[in-house]
Amino acid sequence: METLWFVLLVVLVGGYVVLDGFDFGMGILLPWLARTEGEKRMLYRAIGPVWDGNEVWLIAGGGLLFFAFPKAYASAASGFYLAIMIFLWVLILRGISIEIRSQLAHPLWHSFWDGIFFLASLLAALVLGGFLGNLVTGVPIEESRSWFLPLWTYFVPSSRHGIFDALTLLFSLLSVVSLGRHGATYLILKTEGEIRERIRRLALQWWNAEVALVLLSVVLMLSTHHLLLARCAHRPLGVAFLALAALSLPLVLFFLRRQRELLAFVCSSLFLLSAIGATAVGLYPCLLLSSLDRAKSLTIFNAAASTPALRMGLLWFGIGALLILGYTFLSYWSFRGKVRSEGEGY
């Protein structure tokens, strides 16, 4: 039962990263892509009808963690308090930027909110990568299960590092580049004309940077004989996810060069999902890995709610999942197709 809820949690996190990831990517790339107000409005229209629905996946993931693994939720909320607050604030600023920039027709007003949107998107991707880096490297969980991470200490990887150190910053940088490139593959789907070609060229450039960062991350983890890679290598599902990631990333380049926009986006999504899947397989059964003593890690077994509660929760999760999937499908179907620079909104 605990394993089933762990899989559901990974599915929700994967859905959130793929869907809201291209929102972040669009914000990160905005200064390099849009040269006129019409082009900016076109890019905002590409995400405008769906960005808030994408964040439902984050709320669902947080709710699931609270329900199924309350001890891990309480421990993570305390330890990652600063990072969680920063993440929530930048999500709020992104939403305000999207909705308020068109309320006043003045270039200075538009530029100000465009800048806020860019910075908030960049910070969101950085913090998201920091979360991933700390899940992989571990956090200082002690006997009391109480811990706290400052934003940084000396940037030197150790058992008592901050949220950002030299290694987790690498994951943050990889997150920014991957989500930026993922956002570009989505925007190619939604745009046409000169800006579409500009986005495609930028996606190809960021793909090169992404590959370099992925290789650097793998080399560092191999050189330190990291637990996550060792577990993946000995688990068939982990090997399958690693193989899928290794296959899907080159295919993104292949389809981008041949201008097969839909297939490029599908492969981009598969790469993100397989990377998250491999991380989950490597961590299983741990939810929070202790950097001080592996025996003190929070696992799906010592952090789970009671079995009767988990069984009863499956019914309500099924209803909620159907509502989320239905709403997501309806919103994307309603706003399918290319966006234009002319028209109302954003």
Side-chain angles (χ1 to χ4, degrees):
M1 186 58 67
E2 290 86 352
T3 300
L4 175 59
W5 281 98
F6 179 72
V7 171
L8 295 175
L9 177 63
V10 174
V11 169
L12 288 176
V13 171
Y16 173 70
V17 170
V18 167
L19 294 177
D20 220 20
F22 65 69
D23 289 356
F24 295 161
M26 177 268 175
I28 293 167
L29 297 179
L30 183 65
W32 289 275
L33 293 180
R35 295 175 179 171
T36 65
E37 177 60 20
E39 289 181 346
K40 288 179 182 175
R41 292 168 76 90
M42 183 191 294
L43 296 183
Y44 278 111
R45 283 196 188 102
I47 66 164
V50 296
W51 72 269
D52 48 356
N54 294 340
E55 294 183 355
V56 171
W57 290 72
L58 175 65
I59 297 169
L64 188 153
L65 184 65
F66 174 74
F67 169 78
F69 307 108
K71 292 177 184 174
Y73 176 90
S75 183
S78 169
F80 287 127
Y81 181 77
L82 279 177
I84 291 172
M85 287 298 107
I86 291 172
F87 192 66
L88 292 178
W89 272 107
V90 295
L91 289 185
I92 292 169
L93 285 173
R94 289 182 79 253
I96 293 174
S97 304
I98 293 172
E99 299 299 335
I100 208 172
R101 76 177 298 277
S102 61
Q103 300 300 314
L104 185 64
H106 192 284
L108 187 60
W109 178 264
H110 291 165
S111 298
F112 173 77
W113 287 110
D114 290 341
I116 294 293
F117 184 64
F118 161 71
L119 287 174
S121 301
L122 182 66
L123 275 174
L126 279 170
V127 174
L128 208 56
F131 282 133
L132 175 64
N134 280 279
L135 287 178
V136 170
T137 57
V139 291
I141 302 175
E142 296 180 334
E143 197 66 45
S144 63
R145 305 284 168 79
S146 176
W147 52 280
F148 175 77
L149 284 183
L151 278 181
W152 63 80
T153 52
Y154 303 104
F155 288 106
V156 178
S158 69
S159 59
R160 291 190 179 276
H161 55 80
I163 292 168
F164 296 112
D165 64 19
L167 187 56
T168 57
L169 273 176
L170 176 62
F171 282 92
S172 292
L173 190 55
L174 178 59
S175 170
V176 170
V177 174
S178 290
L179 295 185
R181 198 265 311 138
H182 183 57
T185 57
Y186 172 77
L187 292 174
I188 292 171
L189 269 177
K190 300 295 290 183
T191 56
E192 57 188 1
E194 183 187 344
I195 191 171
R196 180 179 178 277
E197 183 55 29
R198 199 183 307 146
I199 296 169
R200 197 178 72 84
R201 287 198 302 270
L202 196 65
L204 291 171
Q205 293 168 5
W206 281 52
W207 183 91
N208 293 325
E210 184 180 16
V211 169
L213 289 170
V214 168
L215 291 176
L216 181 59
S217 304
V218 172
V219 168
L220 280 177
M221 293 178 74
L222 285 174
S223 64
T224 55
H225 305 287
H226 197 276
L227 174 70
L228 187 141
L229 275 183
R231 282 180 173 175
C232 271
H234 289 89
R235 294 171 174 173
L237 191 57
V239 174
F241 277 127
L242 290 177
L244 183 59
L247 178 66
S248 55
L249 190 55
L251 283 177
V252 173
L253 178 68
F254 178 81
F255 289 123
L256 279 175
R257 283 181 172 169
R258 279 156 183 75
Q259 304 199 25
R260 305 289 297 273
E261 51 198 31
L262 180 59
L263 289 174
F265 180 73
V266 169
C267 289
S268 174
S269 302
L270 282 177
F271 171 70
L272 294 176
L273 290 173
S274 55
I276 292 169
T279 304
V281 171
L283 285 174
Y284 180 86
C286 294
L287 289 164
L288 288 171
L289 201 62
S290 174
S291 58
L292 303 178
D293 182 355
R294 292 285 185 263
K296 295 172 183 171
S297 300
L298 282 168
T299 71
I300 61 171
F301 302 110
N302 64 22
S306 66
T307 301
L310 293 179
R311 284 179 181 157
M312 181 62 71
L314 281 178
L315 171 65
W316 296 105
F317 177 84
I319 296 171
L322 285 176
L323 289 173
I324 293 174
L325 289 173
Y327 174 81
T328 301
F329 174 79
L330 187 63
S331 60
Y332 279 87
W333 181 258
S334 301
F335 298 100
R336 66 188 182 279
K338 304 284 186 182
V339 293
R340 305 283 187 275
S341 58
E342 307 84 16
E344 296 294 326
Y346 303 100

